[in-house]
Each structure stands twice: as structure tokens, then as C-alpha cells.
Amino acid sequence: MPEPTRAMRLGVAGPVGTGKSSLIGTLCRALSDELSLGVVTNDIYTQEDAEMLRAAGVLEPDRIRAVETGACPHTAIRDDITANAIAVEDLEADHGPLDVVLVESGGDNLTATFSPALVDAQLFVLDVAGGGDVVRKGGPGIARADLLVVNKTDLAPHVDVDAELMVDQGRAARDGRPVVGLSRRDPASVGELADWVRRTYAEFRRGALVPSDPGPMAPHSHSRDEDLLVHGHRHA
């Protein structure tokens, strides 16, 4: 098969506060010497995640682009991917050829997943501070994303969570799909995450990586002033 003519697009999704931006910064530090990287972040009304990554100096500032979704974060990664697709294409036009573009979802609930039309592979991020039972609550990202990351394992003793048990429960929920327990302060776990990205990128370059859809989101609600909007998301 011919080699791809564009970058691999890697989606990073998960609930608010699980450390998605920090994980992306960790990957940029680990891989930027060997891979040409770009980042697209999503926030509803601000560009704070992009600004944080630029301030951290993990990549050249212009390699980090921001999308303001203006609505449910998952809408821009699943239902109407136009803004993110344009941001990725603009990055490649300005800095290409790129090897990998990391696309960070806005913080969302347990059901947010990327459309396979936007990303070639996706990982889902939980953290120990969210509670040791969160893996058992399930959802398409937890069960079927290409990789599940249990983040901030160094905090586990401080929040009375058994991080190893949480990782084991993630493996049980995923039918053998990979799980990484991650602390950015633990070089071994950072290496495990970086190695997964390397393997996935090598598969992409061989033309052997087939994007999979973890599944449609369940109907859910958002508070809108005093009303409650309940909606679902079509299969993308």
C-alpha cells in the first residue's frame, strides 16, 4: 500500500479535568524530537487549553491551534467536524509535512467519542481523582476507544483510590483493548504511552490502521438557563 499523504490524527477525549491537555503536553515532550507534531484544542468559549500548551513551550506556538466550539464539545468532534477538520488541514498547510496531529476534545461526559471521519485513532482519558468506580460506569469511550488512559496515578494515595485495580477494571471492561496507567512524573508510564503512539503511527504509515467508531453517544442533557435540553447524537 502507498504511504499516507497526510498526518495521522489522534483524538484525545474524556471528562472535564482528567488531564487531557497535560497528557498532550507530555506526549509532545516525549515525541517531538522524533516526530513532527501539531495540536488542535477544543474549548467552548475560550482558547485556554491552547494558551496553556503554548505557554508550556511543548511545541512552537503556531503548531498549536484552537477551536472554539460554541456548543456541546462533542458536537465539533462527532456531528459537525468541519471546524476541526479545517484546523488540522490549516496546520498541515502551514507546517507540513506533519507526522501526527493531536486533536483534543473539549471536556465532556463519559459518552463523548470522535467521528472516525476526523481521527484515525482515539484515546479516552479518565483520572483517579474522578473516583475508583468510574471505569465500571462504562460508555463507548471507556469500552471501545483505541486506548484507555487512567491518568494521575500518582494522586491515587491522596484520593483513596487503588490505581492498579482501576487499570485492571479497565482491561476487564475493554475485552483486551489496551489500558495505560499514567503519571507524567513516572517515566516508565510516559514511555508506555509514547510507545503506543509510536506503534499506532507505524501502523498508520503502513496503511494498516483502520479508524474504528467506538459507538454513538447516549442521549444526555445540558442545563440551559432554567430549561433542560435533552438530545442525542446521530451515528457519524
Side-chain angles (χ1 to χ4, degrees), residues 47-173:
Q47 299 187 10
E48 286 194 11
D49 287 343
E51 291 166 359
M52 183 273 285
L53 288 169
R54 291 176 189 135
V58 298
L59 292 177
E60 297 170 19
D62 194 53
R63 286 177 176 250
I64 302 168
R65 305 289 173 90
V67 170
E68 294 183 38
T69 64
C72 306
H74 42 257
T75 300
I77 66 167
R78 186 165 187 91
D79 294 340
D80 182 359
I81 64 171
T82 305
N84 275 296
I86 290 172
V88 172
E89 290 167 3
D90 286 348
L91 256 180
E92 294 204 74
D94 292 343
H95 296 283
L98 297 176
D99 296 317
V100 178
V101 176
L102 297 144
V103 183
E104 178 191 0
S105 169
D108 213 304
N109 56 41
L110 289 175
T111 66
T113 59
F114 285 84
S115 166
L118 176 59
V119 300
D120 302 291
Q122 55 189 288
L123 57 87
F124 198 84
V125 187
L126 301 175
D127 75 301
V128 298
D133 63 341
V134 68
V135 174
R136 299 195 302 273
K137 295 181 178 180
I142 292 173
R144 296 184 295 276
D146 298 284
L147 177 70
L148 176 66
V149 176
V150 176
N151 201 13
K152 307 179 189 176
T153 55
D154 54 301
L155 298 183
H158 306 288
V159 292
D160 198 25
V161 167
D162 185 333
E164 290 185 8
L165 176 61
M166 198 170 171
V167 170
D168 288 343
Q169 289 174 338
R171 293 193 178 104

